[in-house]
Amino acid sequence: MRKNSLCLTMATIFCAFALTGCQKVPDATTENNIMHAQGDVEKQVQDIVIVDTQEQTQVKQVVGQYQGIVGTGDNTISINAEVPALPDELYIITLKPNDGLDKNTLLTFLDSESSNIEDTSQELLKEIEESDKYNVTPDETGERVLYSKFGDHSAMRLGDGKKEASFACHTSAYYVDNDLMEKYYGIYSGAYSETLIIQDQMDKGSFSANEAAKILLDKVEAVGVSDIAIKKIHCTEGAGHSFYNIEFVPVYDGIVVDIGSNSYALGQVWPNGYALISEEGVAELSLIDFCGKSVDKKSVTALSFEQVLKILEQYLDSGIIESDGKITYNRVELNYYPVPNPAPVMDEIEYKSELVLTPIWHIYMPLDEYVDGGYGDAVGPSHICVNAVTGELEGAD
């Protein structure tokens, strides 16, 4: 098995396998929940990007622990976080559906010892079609659930009566072992415990979280996924069984793909995964918009974190970002961000033929720390995402 990097950070909520990036139709005034600088502020940001990039040797490179207040007056943000170094090479990556997700690959993914394999691909295609139709149709309140998917309209599914595996859109995959799932559900029939696993607990126990992660990595390699970042792990124990609930995202060139917030916008997809792992193997695995194939990599010059701090000052001074300074942002990451479609189809389920990943500077406080820290009355976004190439605000919420 190839070596893979594992990154333990906090989680956000995932949508179901067939409803990627789902949400109610957004209000036209929300502009897809994405904020962009305009007018004088946009010009000031562009000046910072152009001038500082041309004089890169004069730009102070903030790397390591950074602690400071950005902005002036009452509209400020406080940052106290480790700042990563910029890699030698950084890219804008274009993903397309992966035609390598064919029937032979699906058989490998199913990993069945039975000679009685049933192909239910046509039924799956009908299920997806009906789901799309149902969500396009307004309910009794006039609301609809629209969403965007990355990929095409393909689907295939195989099963042996105990295990089932499927591909959808040439970008998504699903696997379930019904016998293991029955054992998992049996845990809840009696006394059980649920534990959040933190970094220094990854090797603890007779069946550790690291062992579960290795089982997961072996399974996803069957569909061509070689690197993941773990966002959150819970251990559920009871009835003599232990299962790890693992939430994770893809990694490209050592950089984690992250959407940056807990809200979705129409036209946006987020590659993400969920797995349920026991010592006996994988009980369930869902890879949503996860298995795209890289078809183009454009080398780019990234903004330093010092430049980002200058840009944030412009957003704060103009009021585009509003913050009372009560929140201390304790995470700074360089992530890949799946760029939303700026003009999604408003009256139907959107199938995106490609997904573009652009690097962002992601400044945030994990949601559970935000809640547990008593910041309920604080004014300010929990996540701030600045495009690491253009300086545009990709999201602040």
Side-chain angles (χ1 to χ4, degrees), residues 88-301:
D88 294 334
E89 293 288 338
L90 197 60
Y91 305 92
I92 292 176
I93 301 174
T94 300
L95 304 177
K96 291 276 192 180
N98 184 359
D99 53 13
L101 297 183
D102 55 20
K103 191 170 183 177
N104 288 333
T105 304
L106 187 58
L107 277 169
T108 302
F109 188 51
L110 178 65
D111 191 25
S112 174
E113 297 177 356
S114 172
S115 59
N116 185 24
I117 305 296
E118 184 180 7
D119 188 329
T120 58
S121 301
Q122 291 304 311
E123 290 88 337
L124 177 58
L125 283 166
K126 290 178 182 178
E127 290 168 16
I128 294 173
E129 183 180 357
E130 288 301 313
S131 174
D132 286 354
K133 286 181 180 178
Y134 176 82
N135 287 296
V136 167
T137 304
D139 62 16
E140 61 275 7
T141 67
E143 294 182 336
R144 295 173 293 170
V145 179
L146 300 182
Y147 46 88
S148 295
K149 296 182 180 181
F150 167 41
D152 53 33
H153 290 77
S154 67
M156 60 184 73
R157 185 170 62 192
L158 300 174
D160 63 5
K162 293 186 176 181
K163 298 178 181 180
E164 186 176 89
S166 59
F167 292 155
C169 308
H170 281 115
T171 59
S172 298
Y174 180 75
Y175 169 88
V176 64
D177 183 319
N178 291 309
D179 287 347
L180 289 180
M181 288 301 296
E182 186 175 347
K183 292 180 180 180
Y184 173 69
Y185 292 132
I187 289 177
Y188 295 98
S189 62
Y192 67 92
S193 64
E194 292 184 339
T195 306
L196 173 67
I197 305 300
I198 58 177
Q199 185 66 56
D200 61 3
Q201 297 173 332
M202 292 290 288
D203 279 320
K204 292 184 177 180
S206 57
F207 172 54
S208 70
N210 270 333
E211 290 175 296
K214 290 176 182 177
I215 292 173
L216 169 60
L217 289 167
D218 281 338
K219 190 66 174 178
V220 298
E221 282 184 344
V223 293
V225 174
S226 61
D227 206 355
I228 65 173
I230 294 177
K231 301 285 287 181
K232 192 175 187 178
I233 302 182
H234 273 97
C235 182
T236 303
E237 296 180 287
H241 300 291
S242 297
F243 284 82
Y244 286 96
N245 299 265
I246 305 177
E247 299 169 1
F248 57 98
V249 292
V251 175
Y252 292 90
D253 301 325
I255 298 177
V256 175
V257 176
D258 205 329
I259 201 170
S261 73
N262 301 305
S263 61
Y264 291 94
L266 188 62
Q268 188 172 55
V269 299
W270 178 26
N272 66 83
Y274 164 81
L276 188 61
I277 310 292
S278 78
E279 193 169 8
E280 297 178 67
V282 178
E284 187 177 32
L285 172 62
S286 177
L287 300 169
I288 301 173
D289 300 319
F290 205 106
C291 309
K293 178 174 62 178
S294 175
V295 296
D296 184 62
K297 294 174 68 173
K298 177 185 176 184
S299 181
V300 293
T301 300

Side-chain angles (χ1 to χ4, degrees), residues 7 41 53 80 98 138 150 193 197 200 241 267 289 320 347 357-358 365:
C7 172
V41 177
T53 302
N80 186 4
N98 184 359
F150 167 41
S193 64
I197 305 300
D200 61 3
H241 300 291
D289 300 319
I320 289 176
D347 294 319
L357 304 177
T358 193
M365 171 180 282

